[in-house]
């Protein structure tokens, strides 16, 4: 078994909360209501995963399974330019890009390079989403022994299609079974290729629904699995968001505050 990698958010308080970052060989679930920042986190991780290991990254590429049409290349552009200067510099050197943070052409080249190492696949329904996780496994295999292995796979949103397609209590068991199988496939892939899996999940906003507790993710907590870390995202004042670690097996529960700003997620 390869050594577990840690993918940093580049936010000290949040990284400390996570025990150093998002782990490979594991599934990390971000859940929260609309606008809580779930998609922003997945975008930021697709950037950070590509940073040199000394700068909090995993020197790898990303796969983004996009089920709600949330992927925005422009946002990746913001986040690359929004990295700390010394991280940009180190990343340019790592990629053999000539120039520095004040060099517009070099910065553009860096943005293009980062975008080219994010594989975006749109999932049109739950069956297609499952198929895409099989494609992700093939892609991870293809790049396994290359300079840029797949180091993170984001599924944003994990549950939206399942929720829309399996409606009512009569379908709940089937939905859960399909979701569990999907997650099982993902965790196998994570173990096989030492990859981090990051999934997003909405919380219920309907007080009459089966999972009516607004602090509970749709479908209950995904997989009561030891390799799953759950993080609850909650809106605070303005651009502030509270990141709360929930029931992590080896880490104390706790919270950190982050901000969603133009250059990305910051302290
Ligand atoms: P749903 O997809 O609706 O469930 O929400 P989500 O949890 O995925 O939220 P998302 O990550 O889309 O976060 C939306 C929030 O991020 C917005 O309310 C904005 O505050 C912030 N945001 C999104 N894009 C930008 C941007 O380009 N610049 C800045 N400064 N903030 C942004």
């Amino acid at each position: 078994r390869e050594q577990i990698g840690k993918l940093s958010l580049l936010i000290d308080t949040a990284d400390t909360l996570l025990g150093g970052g998002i782990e490979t060989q594991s599934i990390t679930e971000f859940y929260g209501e609309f606008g809580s920042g779930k998609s922003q986190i997945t975008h930021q991780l697709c950037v950070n995963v590509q940073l040199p290991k000394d700068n909090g990254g995993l020197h790898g590429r990303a796969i983004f399974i996009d089920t709600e049409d949330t992927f925005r290349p422009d946002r990746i552009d913001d986040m690359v330019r929004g990295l700390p200067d010394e991280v940009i510099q180190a990343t340019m050197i790592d990629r053999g890009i000539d120039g520095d943070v004040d060099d517009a052409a070099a910065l553009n080249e860096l943005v293009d390079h980062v975008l080219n190492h994010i594989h975006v696949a749109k999932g049109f329904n739950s069956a297609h989403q499952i198929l895409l996780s099989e494609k992700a496994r093939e892609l991870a295999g293809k790049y396994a022994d290359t300079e840029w292995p797949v180091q993170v796979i984001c599924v944003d949103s994990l549950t939206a299609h399942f929720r829309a397609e399996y409606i009512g209590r009569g379908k709940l068991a089937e939905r859960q079974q399909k979701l569990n199988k999907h997650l099982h496939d993902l965790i196998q892939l994570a173990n096989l290729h030492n990859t981090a899996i990051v999934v997003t999940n909405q919380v219920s906003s309907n007080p009459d629904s089966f999972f009516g507790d607004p602090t509970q993710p749709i479908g209950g907590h995904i997989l009561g699995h030891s390799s799953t870390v759950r993080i609850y995202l909650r809106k605070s004042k303005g651009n502030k968001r509270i990141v709360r670690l929930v029931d992590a097996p080896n880490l104390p529960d706790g919270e950190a505050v982050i901000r969603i700003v133009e250059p990305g997620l910051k302290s």
Side-chain angles (χ1 to χ4, degrees):
R1 237 171 125 94
E2 275 181 88
Q3 200 187 346
I4 290 173
K6 303 229 186 196
L7 169 53
S8 169
L9 284 166
L10 294 185
I11 301 172
D12 286 345
T13 51
D15 286 334
T16 302
L17 185 72
L18 294 170
I22 309 274
E23 291 193 344
T24 61
Q25 300 176 34
S26 133
I27 297 183
T28 302
E29 173 191 12
F30 285 95
Y31 68 99
E33 63 174 323
F34 73 94
S36 57
K38 304 181 292 293
S39 296
Q40 297 299 306
I41 295 244
T42 52
H43 279 66
Q44 187 75 58
L45 292 173
C46 286
V47 171
N48 293 8
V49 73
Q50 301 193 35
L51 304 177
K53 291 184 179 166
D54 288 346
N55 298 92
L58 295 171
H59 187 88
R61 63 181 70 226
I63 295 176
F64 193 105
I65 298 179
D66 183 1
T67 73
E68 293 187 297
D69 207 19
T70 49
F71 186 76
R72 296 283 174 272
D74 284 356
R75 200 58 188 129
I76 298 296
D77 189 309
D78 290 343
M79 287 173 171
V80 172
R81 293 173 201 275
L83 291 166
D85 284 356
E86 67 276 13
V87 175
I88 291 181
Q89 194 62 65
T91 305
M92 283 178 173
I93 292 167
D94 189 39
R95 290 173 186 247
I97 297 172
D98 256 344
D100 57 43
V101 284
D102 301 318
D103 181 342
L107 262 180
N108 290 341
E109 193 181 339
L110 180 62
V111 169
D112 283 347
H113 206 275
V114 170
L115 276 168
N116 284 335
H117 289 74
I118 305 172
H119 304 263
V120 183
K122 310 258 183 213
F124 300 112
N125 53 47
S126 67
H128 188 225
Q129 180 179 331
I130 289 165
L131 184 74
L132 291 179
S133 65
E134 287 160 21
K135 296 275 173 214
R137 181 200 286 257
E138 286 169 23
L139 210 57
K142 175 180 160 188
Y143 289 114
D145 296 316
T146 69
E147 195 193 347
W148 292 96
V150 174
Q151 289 284 262
V152 71
I153 298 170
C154 298
V155 186
D156 185 26
S157 141
L158 175 78
T159 45
H161 284 314
F162 290 90
R163 184 160 55 116
E165 292 165 30
Y166 298 88
I167 299 164
R169 292 196 64 164
K171 294 270 188 180
L172 205 56
E174 192 185 350
R175 181 177 81 182
Q176 241 11 54
Q177 185 224 327
K178 288 259 160 67
L179 254 177
N180 284 349
K181 164 79 166 59
H182 184 36
L183 283 163
H184 185 77
D185 292 347
L186 289 170
I187 193 73
Q188 273 196 333
L189 165 47
N191 288 330
L192 188 63
H193 292 297
N194 195 22
T195 297
I197 309 281
V198 177
V199 304
T200 70
N201 194 359
Q202 269 246 14
V203 294
S204 172
S205 52
N206 175 3
D208 298 323
S209 76
F210 184 65
F211 297 105
D213 180 347
T215 65
Q216 291 300 308
I218 300 289
H221 284 297
I222 56 164
L223 275 193
H225 204 286
S226 58
S227 52
T228 305
V229 174
R230 304 175 185 113
I231 297 164
Y232 179 43
L233 278 176
R234 185 163 95 243
K235 286 185 202 166
S236 182
K237 280 215 180 89
N239 56 20
K240 285 192 182 148
R241 300 292 186 275
I242 319 260
V243 180
R244 191 210 292 174
L245 194 65
V246 182
D247 301 333
N250 305 312
L251 293 166
D253 285 0
E255 293 188 341
V257 180
I258 63 169
R259 289 176 310 127
I260 308 175
V261 286
E262 213 50 44
L265 303 185
K266 302 288 167 185
S267 59

